[in-house]
Amino acid sequence: TAPGLFKAFLKVIRMGKPFRQEVPYRHKGTERWFSLLALKFDDGVLVMSEDITGRKRIEEENLRLTLES
């Protein structure tokens, strides 16, 4: 959630430890997945994101096939 991410980013600033998390994003009936990486940068935070929706869909399909067999 956005408030949870904000707290995590504040912790990055205070502690200086990187934060990494995969998060879903839902908007107007679609769902995408993003990998987030937050790093301390000067007295703030630098956040990078990568769309990993394709990889997550493959993982879900592999899990479904494993459970069916």
Side-chain angles (χ1 to χ4, degrees):
T1 66
L5 289 175
F6 183 74
K7 287 180 183 180
F9 297 158
L10 287 176
K11 188 174 179 180
V12 169
I13 295 168
R14 283 192 224 118
M15 306 295 288
K17 290 185 178 180
F19 168 81
R20 184 182 304 265
Q21 185 171 344
E22 294 179 355
V23 295
Y25 173 75
R26 293 172 187 89
H27 182 69
K28 295 184 179 180
T30 63
E31 180 180 72
R32 313 251 350 136
W33 280 87
F34 291 90
S35 174
L36 302 178
L37 173 62
L39 305 167
K40 183 170 175 68
F41 185 75
D42 290 333
D43 61 349
V45 65
L46 171 69
V47 180
M48 295 174 277
S49 67
E50 177 185 6
D51 187 336
I52 58 168
T53 305
R55 190 194 82 201
K56 293 297 273 189
R57 288 184 179 150
I58 290 170
E59 289 173 358
E60 290 171 0
E61 180 66 11
N62 287 341
L63 179 60
R64 185 184 68 76
L65 292 171
T66 300
L67 293 175
E68 288 179 355
S69 59

